[in-house]
Amino acid sequence: MKASIAIPDSPSSLWLTVRSVGAFNVACSFAALWAFVKVIRVLRWRLRTTQLRGPPRTSLVYGVSNDLVSSKDSATMYEHWAQEYGVAYMIPSVLGQTRIVLSDPRAIAHFYARESWTYVQTPLSLTLIENLVGRGVLWSQGESHRRQRKALTPAFSNAAIRKLTSVFYDSAYKVKSVWDTDLQSSKDGNAVIEVQNWMNHISLDTIGIAGFSHDFGSLDGKHASVTEVFDTFGNKPKVSALNKVLFLLASAFPIVTKIPNSRVKLTKKLNATMGEISNDLLVRSRREKQVEEEKSIIGLLIKAENQDAELRMSEDEVLAQMKVLLLAGYETTSISLTWALIELSRHPDVQTRLREELLTFGADPTYDQLKANLPYLDAVVHEILRLHPPVVEFSRVVSTLICLSIETLKVDLQARVDDVIPLSEPVCTGSGKMTDSISIAKGSLFVIPIEAINRSLAIWGPDAKEFKPDRWLTEDGITGKAKEVQGHRHLLTFVDGPRTCLGKDFALAEFKAVLSVLVKNFVYEMRDGPDTQVEIARGILPRPRVVGEDSIGVPLRVRRYE
């Protein structure tokens, strides 16, 4: 038998054959190089990072990530793992990735002290934040973050917030007026009110007036395009299996976030809507020639845009700050206020005691009185923030990612350089040795489970899961372990370090002012009785929802206090 050789029938086909073979070889070379680099990085990471114990992989592809995303109570999962494996442990993640979980106050303090320089946001986090709000203070890192934060800081000083306290009360009294009218028209003097929507309106109008000298008018019934988009996140049905898979894979391949789906489209719409509003407000403020020295947020942003000094911001950065403030001002305070009304409805004794303190005090407290003269109000507010932090999980990479996930805001971080993290108590490594510090290699991924730490039995004691404002009123109310947590009032709700929440005092003042008006004037009960179940609805941030309700429904039975 004679061998035969196939000969291309034309020069062009020969060229195409050679070209395709060449392209294939180049692709194979790049793939081999990529695989080689990955192997070297993994080997380096394993050699330079203390290998800790942790839960076994439940999925070959997803590790335990799918379990966490699917869980209704991921905080309990983290706490259980900390009890079993120690205050620092490793969890298997997507496609062979590993995340280091820190549940130790000393380790977390070390971590936060170096955040934004040693521990930074991952590429996925940066991509998702930029898609939602642009390259503002939430997105920036290192020197850029320091510059942007410094430019904004005067707007959140005590002096600045003191002037804004009347705005908080104005919003609260608008709600009181509407609810009074509804109750007057009811037959039995009470009405079922969907309180979460009203808390959303309070938050939006307050940040509009206090931050940008603009009244969105949502408390007056005006339509605001931004609220429609915000609410769409909460109205969205359960996340599809495909979207969940794409989200999980995005941690390994950030390019997956470019694949169009309903969530991506909604995020783009929200970004565009907030951008249009921010641009309109900025143009109007420039036209009205606001005084540069004004300590309002919009005034400081215009000043930063126009100056040549070290704090100068570009127009894109200015617009990004405005979008961040709209988002944060709308989401976080409204969620906390809603949780407060839920917990007070569940605990009528606490509600009565708080009302008595407020009525005994008399007139609406000033900013300084809100901070110092109403201890039980302060206790209730901080107990809400302890049990129900708006951001439930915080992650970072040793300088390689904040992640606006499909279902919750999650800050994804990694290490930029090698580091050694001290521990307050020793842990057992994967090899069985005990160690009181862990070595970290560049590129390591981190998780700090805020909600789990805020509710930890090991840190907060046997009553950690209970709503117990009294713990904030006595010296021994906060246990020794909890006192080691270095966040605001020993909580991680506002995180800590260089990236601690810039609007913390603003949020606390608004929370207290609004809650004081609502509790003094109305009595709250769960519509379906004290045993009503509340679940978590997935919006931009996790929100409470009464089981069986659509969207983010929290219907409470409300009557006037007389």
Side-chain angles (χ1 to χ4, degrees):
M1 180 182 290
K2 294 182 179 180
S4 60
I5 300 175
I7 300 175
D9 58 4
S10 70
S12 61
S13 61
L14 176 61
W15 165 246
L16 289 174
T17 301
V18 173
R19 185 179 178 185
S20 61
V21 171
F24 177 75
N25 287 336
V26 170
C28 287
S29 298
F30 273 114
L33 179 62
W34 178 84
F36 177 75
V37 171
K38 282 290 184 182
V39 169
I40 293 300
R41 285 180 176 175
V42 169
L43 290 174
R44 181 187 184 277
W45 179 82
R46 290 190 65 85
L47 287 170
R48 292 176 177 259
T49 300
T50 303
Q51 299 301 302
L52 301 169
R53 298 182 305 157
R57 181 180 298 275
T58 58
S59 165
L60 184 63
V61 177
Y62 304 127
V64 298
S65 296
N66 190 42
D67 304 80
L68 289 167
V69 169
S70 303
S71 173
K72 293 182 179 180
D73 188 6
S74 60
T76 297
M77 294 179 66
Y78 281 120
E79 185 174 9
H80 171 74
W81 289 335
Q83 291 170 351
E84 184 171 356
Y85 303 112
V87 294
Y89 56 92
M90 289 177 169
I91 57 173
S93 188
V94 177
L95 297 178
Q97 291 182 331
T98 298
R99 280 176 159 73
I100 299 167
V101 183
L102 300 179
S103 299
D104 177 62
R106 186 180 180 191
I108 293 169
H110 174 94
F111 176 92
Y112 278 137
R114 289 154 180 79
E115 193 190 350
S116 196
W117 298 94
T118 299
Y119 300 97
V120 298
Q121 298 173 101
T122 61
L124 174 61
S125 296
L126 294 172
T127 298
L128 293 172
I129 293 174
E130 184 175 6
N131 289 345
L132 186 64
V133 293
R135 298 189 171 193
V137 69
L138 194 61
W139 177 91
S140 62
Q141 302 184 124
E143 185 59 33
S144 175
H145 177 264
R146 187 202 66 80
R147 171 178 56 83
Q148 294 187 40
R149 185 181 177 93
K150 188 174 181 179
L152 287 168
T153 296
F156 297 99
S157 66
N158 284 332
I161 300 171
R162 189 175 289 112
K163 295 177 181 178
L164 297 173
T165 308
S166 60
V167 176
F168 307 150
Y169 283 120
D170 287 345
S171 294
Y173 277 107
K174 281 186 178 181
V175 171
K176 176 185 178 299
S177 178
V178 175
W179 288 5
D180 278 339
T181 301
D182 290 345
L183 291 171
Q184 283 177 354
S185 61
S186 67
K187 294 180 180 180
D188 53 2
N190 68 68
V192 174
I193 295 176
E194 208 306 292
V195 296
Q196 186 145 227
N197 280 338
W198 284 103
M199 299 308 103
N200 292 346
H201 295 328
I202 286 175
S203 298
L204 181 65
D205 284 5
T206 298
I207 193 61
I209 295 171
F212 311 117
S213 302
H214 173 77
D215 187 359
F216 286 103
S218 62
L219 288 169
D220 300 318
K222 295 180 183 177
H223 173 75
S225 57
V226 70
T227 58
E228 180 182 337
V229 185
F230 275 132
D231 292 344
T232 304
F233 276 88
N235 295 337
K236 199 174 181 296
K238 187 177 179 180
V239 177
S240 69
L242 176 60
N243 281 354
K244 185 184 290 186
V245 168
L246 291 176
F247 165 65
L248 290 169
L249 293 177
S251 63
F253 304 106
I255 195 170
V256 169
T257 60
K258 303 296 183 183
I259 298 175
N261 58 50
S262 57
R263 188 76 179 191
V264 170
K265 292 175 182 176
L266 200 56
T267 299
K268 288 182 177 179
K269 184 177 180 181
L270 178 57
N271 188 349
T273 302
M274 291 194 298
E276 291 170 5
I277 292 170
S278 299
N279 189 62
D280 289 344
L281 294 175
L282 191 59
V283 169
R284 188 205 67 187
S285 298
R286 288 171 180 151
R287 186 171 58 245
E288 293 175 358
K289 297 180 180 179
Q290 289 200 5
V291 180
E292 283 191 356
E293 285 71 28
E294 183 183 358
K295 292 300 185 288
S296 69
I297 296 173
I298 191 71
L300 284 166
L301 289 173
I302 291 174
K303 179 180 179 180
E305 183 187 33
N306 292 332
Q307 67 184 12
D308 295 325
E310 60 168 341
L311 302 183
R312 185 184 184 279
M313 290 190 213
S314 66
E315 182 174 341
D316 286 344
E317 288 176 333
V318 168
L319 290 173
Q321 316 304 354
M322 296 177 74
K323 287 187 280 187
V324 168
L325 293 166
L326 273 175
L327 178 65
Y330 180 87
E331 282 284 306
T332 55
T333 306
S334 62
I335 291 171
S336 295
L337 282 166
T338 303
W339 272 118
L341 295 180
I342 290 172
E343 291 293 2
L344 292 175
S345 298
R346 288 169 162 173
H347 300 87
D349 55 328
V350 175
Q351 184 181 161
T352 298
R353 184 175 169 185
L354 175 58
R355 185 177 298 108
E356 289 173 352
E357 178 184 76
L358 294 168
L359 291 172
T360 300
F361 187 84
D364 291 330
T366 65
Y367 171 68
D368 296 290
Q369 290 169 337
L370 284 171
K371 292 186 71 173
N373 295 85
L374 293 160
Y376 201 63
L377 173 62
D378 183 78
V380 168
V381 162
H382 282 89
E383 187 69 347
I384 293 295
L385 294 173
R386 184 185 71 83
L387 282 175
H388 306 291
V391 179
V392 299
E393 182 181 319
F394 193 84
S395 340
R396 280 280 194 268
V397 96
V398 191
S399 260
T400 296
L401 277 160
I402 214 164
C403 166
L404 284 162
S405 77
I406 270 180
E407 302 191 348
T408 181
L409 182 68
K410 166 184 160 185
V411 184
D412 215 8
L413 294 179
Q414 63 185 0
R416 168 180 268 163
V417 296
D418 295 352
D419 193 21
V420 176
I421 298 179
L423 303 174
S424 63
E425 60 184 80
V427 296
C428 184
T429 67
S431 62
K433 295 180 179 180
M434 301 300 291
T435 180
D436 58 5
S437 66
I438 53 176
S439 298
I440 301 299
K442 173 183 176 180
S444 297
L445 295 163
F446 284 87
V447 175
I448 295 180
I450 292 173
E451 186 177 33
I453 293 169
N454 279 0
R455 297 179 174 190
S456 168
L457 295 171
I459 294 175
W460 288 89
D463 58 0
K465 313 295 185 190
E466 300 174 22
F467 178 67
K468 186 180 176 183
D470 278 345
R471 77 176 75 246
W472 299 96
L473 299 176
T474 60
E475 279 294 322
D476 58 355
I478 308 297
T479 66
K481 195 73 173 176
K483 288 180 179 179
E484 296 176 17
V485 179
Q486 292 188 20
H488 167 77
R489 300 287 291 275
H490 311 297
L491 297 175
L492 294 180
T493 305
F494 296 105
V495 301
D496 197 22
R499 298 189 79 100
T500 189
C501 178
L502 187 60
K504 169 176 62 69
D505 291 330
F506 180 104
L508 286 169
E510 180 184 1
F511 192 175
K512 289 182 178 182
V514 172
L515 191 61
S516 69
V517 173
L518 297 182
V519 172
K520 271 198 302 186
N521 291 281
F522 302 101
V523 178
Y524 305 89
E525 300 173 5
M526 302 301 292
R527 181 194 60 188
D528 301 321
D531 297 326
T532 299
Q533 297 298 305
V534 177
E535 61 184 359
I536 299 299
R538 302 302 185 181
I540 296 175
L541 294 177
R543 283 181 170 273
R545 174 177 63 198
V546 169
V547 172
E549 292 295 312
D550 295 329
S551 181
I552 51 173
V554 181
L556 298 183
R557 192 169 299 281
V558 182
R559 60 182 172 84
R560 281 182 295 188
Y561 175 76
E562 295 175 337

